[in-house]
């Protein structure tokens, strides 16, 4: 009898048992969430910002435990939170991404300005294809749609910064520079996104 | 015609710098005015939405109920995502207070309680600039409770997206802000307008960043003053920022008066680079493509540019030189819409996928003679039948390309390769030979 395999390494991870959800947000994260909740008339509207907090707290991606924690904290269902998170390309649901996420824009202007050459160069240099992570977990390479910095085409997004126009010759140096950066750009981006939504007085109150 | 800088005239990131160029004077003036008088000035100005649709701004402002029974909201669409456009990015980065002041004037005119500025999360430089501008405005009492002793309370929050083109569509943006997948909502005439039932079923005013940024100038100088700009056109008033990119010598944002020629815009951007002009997408990837002949004739105005078969759109103007393969360009456009379709309605979800599949087999050399008609058919099935305008937007560029450059498709299908066979044109294809390390 032939076996049908329903699981693969990029598949949908199982939701944790509701009774076993552990709340792992730091005190700072909890206070940030409380401040953000005051911006909206209901808890549901805080789903996107809370997912950003979770992405930072859980190391740059959203494992099932993170989705579950957001669901518990906002009193929504796991399925709803997972459904929202999977819609948006910047949430990394279920599977970790590298410490540095390199996103190559290949849309129209970047396309005609040589973005595919840049992409090929990055793929060859890192030994990975789009959507893959290097074995050491340092880099993930993604092809993204228009970053709206067409005056700087071809443009890359690396964490919270745009880099462009990129020259093929600069790629090696960029990779080395990122490799020697021990911090996680992915976590830094999520952190910046959370902070940009908080008012100065709210930030002062958060320890 | 040269540039006419209004919104891009100054760079003023801080409140001090913004005050020095006359910032917030318009807001003070508006506070002393009757609310309806503010809306009337906007009406006189002839300002039309700068996000892409060109809807008269005053109708939205005037559509918010005058008798307040619920909370009112102001929402700024800063989810700039249209390929080729980067004007809102510069507006927010260089003069964030200008946008905030526009939102405050709109908030005053529509008795709003809370404003949100929905910025795409990729734009961190914008988000930081806007956040710190809002902080400064709160510190000076321009935002918050009982503003300037008027008894009016107005809060302004930054809300960041998480990566989705669809969220730039106003009803999808509301879905996203309310914590849902960024899918469009039912629209008039089947549902009330957002001005009646928008965010959380309350009256909501939604405008683009550039539209809000125009408001302080209109209030400060008067609607008639604003309407005098672009008077040579049928119904386009004021200035418009065009983000010029592609094969030009000086890509960037250029602010021009309506009535300027498209060829003048190209000249402002330093002219075409690397070969003769072949084509232009004047208003972002959704608008129909023009050939060089049309570019020479085109005058910039909502109605005027329609005469050559295209649209002002969001102002993302991309010029292409002779080494551009139109089929490969449309392949990439189709891929964009396929990846960004939210999946809510069948025509767009299925149609964008088919448009991509057919383009993909053509550029891989496996095109079939019937593909041209098939593409036309699919486009006709999407256009006007999708749930939101972004479905139409996926069909228009391809319909136009098939009309303006039919021989490129025919050649590609017949010979299995592009009619443009130059080393530069090869750059457009992802299936080129691997790059040596």
């Amino acid at each position: 009898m032939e076996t049908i395999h329903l699981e693969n390494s990029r598949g949908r991870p199982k939701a944790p048992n509701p009774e076993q959800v552990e709340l792992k947000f730091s005190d700072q994260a909890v206070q940030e969430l409380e401040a953000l909740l005051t911006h909206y008339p209901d808890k549901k509207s805080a789903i996107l910002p809370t997912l950003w907090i979770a992405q930072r707290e859980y190391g740059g991606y959203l494992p099932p435990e993170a989705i579950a924690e957001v669901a518990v904290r906002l009193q929504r269902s796991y399925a709803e939170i997972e459904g929202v998170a999977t819609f948006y390309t910047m949430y990394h649901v279920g599977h970790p991404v590298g410490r540095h996420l390199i996103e190559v824009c290949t849309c129209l202007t970047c396309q005609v300005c040589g973005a595919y050459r840049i992409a090929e160069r990055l793929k060859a240099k890192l030994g990975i294809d789009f959507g893959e992570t290097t074995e050491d977990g340092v880099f993930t390479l993604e092809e993204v749609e228009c970053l709206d910095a067409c005056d700087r085409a071809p443009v890359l997004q690396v964490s919270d910064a745009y880099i462009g126009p990129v020259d093929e010759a600069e790629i090696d140096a960029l990779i080395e520079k990122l490799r020697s950066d021990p911090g996680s750009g992915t976590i830094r981006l999520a952190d910046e996104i959370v902070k940009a939504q908080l008012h100065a007085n709210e930030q002062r109150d958060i320890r | 015609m040269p540039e006419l800088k209004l919104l891009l005239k100054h760079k003023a990131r801080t409140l001090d710098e913004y005050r020095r160029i006359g910032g917030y004077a318009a807001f003070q003036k508006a506070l002393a005015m009757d609310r309806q008088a503010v809306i009337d000035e906007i009406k006189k100005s002839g300002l039309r939405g700068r996000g892409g649709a060109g809807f008269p701004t005053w109708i939205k402002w005037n559509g918010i109920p005058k008798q307040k029974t619920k909370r009112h909201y102001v929402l700024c669409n800063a989810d700039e995502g249209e390929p080729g456009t980067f004007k809102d990015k510069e507006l927010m980065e260089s003069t964030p207070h200008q946008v905030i002041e526009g939102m405050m004037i709109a908030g005053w005119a529509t008795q709003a309680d809370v404003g949100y500025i929905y910025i795409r999360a990729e734009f961190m430089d914008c988000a930081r600039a806007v956040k710190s501008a809002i902080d400064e405005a709160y510190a000076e009492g321009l935002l918050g409770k009982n503003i300037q002793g008027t008894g009016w309370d107005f809060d302004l929050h930054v809300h960041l997206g998480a990566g989705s083109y669809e969220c730039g569509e106003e009803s999808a943006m509301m879905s996203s802000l309310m914590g849902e997948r960024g899918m469009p909502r039912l629209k008039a005439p089947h549902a009330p307008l957002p001005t009646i039932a928008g965010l959380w079923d309350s009256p909501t005013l939604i405008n683009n960043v550039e539209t809000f940024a125009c408001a302080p100038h209109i209030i400060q100088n008067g609607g008639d003053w604003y309407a005098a700009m672009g008077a040579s056109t049928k119904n386009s008033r004021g200035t418009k920022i065009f983000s010029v990119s592609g094969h030009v010598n000086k890509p960037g944002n250029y602010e021009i008066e309506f009535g300027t020629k498209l060829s003048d815009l190209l000249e402002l951007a330093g002219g075409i680079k690397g070969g003769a002009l072949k084509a232009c997408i004047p208003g972002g990837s959704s608008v129909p493509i023009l050939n060089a002949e049309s570019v020479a004739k085109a005058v910039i105005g909502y109605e005027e540019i329609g005469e050559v078969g295209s649209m002002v759109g969001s102002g993302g103007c991309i010029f292409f030189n002779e080494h551009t393969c139109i089929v490969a360009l449309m392949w990439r456009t189709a891929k964009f819409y396929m990846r960004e379709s939210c999946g809510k309605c069948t025509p767009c979800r299925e149609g964008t996928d088919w448009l991509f599949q057919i383009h993909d087999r053509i550029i891989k050399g496996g095109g079939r003679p019937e593909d041209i008609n098939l593409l036309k058919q699919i486009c006709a099935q999407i256009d006007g039948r999708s749930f939101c305008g972004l479905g139409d937007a996926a069909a228009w560029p391809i319909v136009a390309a098939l009309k303006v450059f039919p021989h490129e498709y025919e050649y590609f299908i017949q010979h299995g390769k592009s009619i443009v066979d130059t080393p530069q044109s090869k750059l457009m294809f992802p299936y080129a030979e691997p790059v040596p390390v």
Side-chain angles (χ1 to χ4, degrees):
Chain A
M1 197 173 69
E2 217 176 312
T3 321
I4 300 167
H5 292 280
L6 293 173
E7 284 172 41
N8 63 53
S9 63
R10 301 282 289 172
R12 179 187 175 199
K14 287 270 181 283
N17 188 328
E19 297 119 32
Q20 288 163 347
V21 175
E22 267 185 75
L23 299 182
K24 290 185 189 154
F25 275 16
S26 60
D27 289 347
Q28 180 201 339
V30 172
Q31 289 172 42
E32 284 167 342
L33 173 56
E34 277 166 12
L36 285 167
L37 281 171
T38 65
H39 296 191
Y40 310 96
D42 61 9
K43 283 191 175 176
K44 183 181 142 220
S45 305
I47 291 179
L48 264 68
T50 313
L51 282 167
W52 279 119
I53 297 178
Q55 183 146 305
R56 181 193 67 197
E57 296 291 304
Y58 282 82
Y61 79 114
L62 296 168
E65 294 74 24
I67 303 275
E69 174 154 4
V70 174
V72 169
R73 289 194 182 273
L74 298 179
Q75 295 164 318
R76 312 297 300 183
S77 76
Y78 181 91
E80 180 183 4
I81 304 296
E82 188 191 33
V84 173
T86 49
F87 183 83
Y88 298 93
T89 56
M90 292 172 79
Y91 295 129
H92 310 297
V93 184
H95 303 280
V97 292
R99 218 166 67 212
H100 298 291
L101 179 62
I102 303 177
E103 298 178 297
V104 192
C105 174
T106 59
C107 205
L108 301 193
T109 302
C110 286
Q111 178 195 19
V112 299
C113 292
Y116 282 116
R117 290 284 297 186
I118 302 291
E120 289 306 318
R121 180 90 202 173
L122 280 163
K123 286 182 193 173
K125 180 78 188 163
L126 298 172
I128 51 173
D129 204 346
F130 284 142
E132 293 179 352
T133 303
T134 51
E135 268 177 32
D136 56 9
V138 179
F139 295 103
T140 297
L141 191 63
E142 293 277 2
E143 178 182 23
V144 291
E145 296 304 334
C146 192
L147 291 172
D148 285 276
C150 315
D151 51 340
R152 297 165 70 184
V155 67
L156 302 178
Q157 182 175 14
V158 180
S159 310
D160 59 339
Y162 280 12
I163 301 171
V166 192
D167 195 281
E168 240 182 291
E170 296 164 8
I171 299 253
D172 291 8
L174 172 69
I175 299 279
E176 288 323 309
K177 196 181 135 216
L178 288 171
R179 203 189 292 281
S180 64
D181 173 3
S184 164
T186 338
I187 297 177
R188 190 166 64 235
L189 172 63
D191 186 44
E192 289 282 312
I193 288 172
V194 173
K195 295 215 167 96
Q197 299 181 75
L198 290 164
H199 295 291
N201 63 331
E202 293 166 346
Q203 281 177 308
R204 266 194 299 275
D205 297 339
I206 295 168
R207 286 173 301 279
Chain B
M1 260 198 262
E3 267 194 279
L4 181 61
K5 287 192 175 190
L6 190 65
L7 308 181
L8 293 178
K9 192 171 177 187
H10 301 284
K11 287 202 187 312
R13 263 185 93 117
T14 64
L15 184 55
D16 278 350
E17 285 166 352
Y18 190 59
R19 289 249 200 233
R20 240 173 281 148
I21 57 165
Y24 289 107
F27 175 61
Q28 299 294 350
K29 192 175 169 185
L31 284 185
M33 285 162 77
D34 185 50
R35 291 195 158 94
Q36 191 58 41
V38 174
I39 297 173
D40 290 343
E41 278 316 310
I42 301 291
K43 182 180 181 182
K44 262 193 256 171
S45 74
L47 177 66
R48 291 169 68 175
R50 301 292 192 238
F55 188 77
T57 304
W58 79 274
I59 296 182
K60 285 189 181 180
W61 289 36
N62 200 44
I64 302 283
K66 318 278 176 192
Q67 296 298 323
K68 200 171 160 185
T69 55
K70 286 174 166 177
R71 284 164 81 82
H72 290 185
Y73 295 100
V74 173
L75 174 55
C76 177
N77 186 339
D79 191 53
E80 186 166 51
E82 184 75 8
T85 318
F86 44 90
K87 63 183 177 68
D88 298 343
K89 181 162 173 281
E90 180 166 347
L91 280 173
M92 288 186 282
E93 282 174 15
S94 63
T95 38
H97 282 286
Q98 187 174 232
V99 183
I100 293 171
E101 187 180 5
M103 288 184 74
M104 286 158 62
I105 292 169
W108 168 252
T110 59
Q111 307 182 68
D113 302 270
V114 183
Y116 295 95
I117 175 160
Y118 186 116
I119 307 175
R120 67 182 287 185
E122 289 91 341
F123 279 0
M124 282 316 296
D125 286 332
C126 296
R128 284 183 282 245
V130 171
K131 177 221 163 358
S132 86
I134 290 176
D135 286 343
E136 285 180 312
Y138 267 104
E140 292 252 333
L142 290 162
L143 287 169
K145 300 264 175 266
N146 189 17
I147 296 167
Q148 313 280 306
T150 53
W152 176 54
D153 303 341
F154 188 59
D155 282 307
L156 196 52
H157 305 297
V158 172
H159 181 96
L160 287 160
S164 160
Y165 169 70
E166 180 61 34
C167 289
E169 198 277 343
E170 66 174 21
S171 67
M173 173 168 285
M174 294 194 291
S175 300
S176 180
L177 184 62
M178 292 188 283
E180 297 168 15
R181 289 166 82 91
M183 288 184 173
R185 309 174 89 79
L186 200 63
K187 284 198 237 335
H190 313 290
L193 290 163
T195 49
I196 303 297
L199 286 171
W200 304 288
D201 257 347
S202 289
T204 305
L205 174 72
I206 312 173
N207 279 140
N208 175 258
V209 169
E210 191 185 347
T211 316
F212 279 124
C214 291
H217 298 276
I218 293 168
I219 297 305
Q220 187 61 21
N221 303 297
D224 292 330
W225 166 85
Y226 190 83
M229 292 181 285
S232 67
T233 64
K234 206 172 156 201
N235 198 13
S236 314
R237 299 290 172 261
T239 62
K240 172 86 188 86
I241 305 173
F242 276 83
S243 307
V244 186
S245 70
H247 296 131
V248 293
N249 287 306
K250 289 190 293 174
N253 285 310
Y254 296 90
E255 188 172 4
I256 49 104
E257 183 182 353
F258 279 113
T260 302
K261 292 205 301 235
L262 188 54
S263 51
D264 287 347
L265 183 64
L266 174 58
E267 211 169 291
L268 282 173
I272 199 85
K273 158 177 103 169
L277 174 68
K278 176 174 183 174
C280 169
I281 298 175
S285 70
S286 321
V287 311
I289 193 164
L290 300 173
N291 59 18
E293 210 177 293
S294 300
V295 171
K297 280 192 285 188
V299 172
I300 298 171
Y302 290 104
E303 281 72 27
E304 286 70 16
I305 212 158
E307 284 166 22
V308 292
S310 197
M311 292 157 72
V312 168
S314 59
C317 188
I318 318 175
F319 289 99
F320 302 99
N321 68 18
E322 58 189 314
H323 301 293
T324 307
C325 168
I326 300 295
V327 184
L329 191 69
M330 287 303 133
W331 166 84
R332 190 63 188 80
T333 308
K335 184 173 175 178
F336 172 81
Y337 287 102
M338 177 195 74
R339 290 182 76 188
E340 295 294 345
S341 174
C342 78
K344 178 162 182 147
C345 71
T346 315
C348 176
R349 183 185 64 242
E350 304 294 320
T352 52
D353 187 45
W354 291 340
L355 291 177
F356 173 71
Q357 304 288 351
I358 295 164
H359 277 94
D360 202 45
R361 76 174 173 227
I362 296 174
I363 75 159
K364 282 174 174 161
R368 303 167 194 166
E370 64 269 24
D371 279 348
I372 293 183
N373 270 332
L374 191 54
L375 285 172
K376 285 182 187 164
Q377 257 180 36
I378 296 169
C379 288
Q381 295 291 337
I382 301 175
D383 189 7
R385 291 172 167 80
S386 57
F387 194 88
C388 81
L390 301 195
D392 307 339
W396 293 337
I398 291 164
V399 172
L402 285 164
K403 200 163 114 191
V404 183
F405 299 98
H407 52 284
E408 294 223 1
Y409 276 89
E410 284 155 16
Y411 188 95
F412 217 129
I413 290 168
Q414 215 169 32
H415 299 87
K417 60 175 186 162
S418 176
I419 196 167
V420 195
D421 202 9
T422 62
Q424 294 97 308
S425 74
K426 298 265 188 302
L427 284 178
M428 296 178 69
F429 295 87
Y431 311 117
E433 56 275 26
V435 181
V437 183

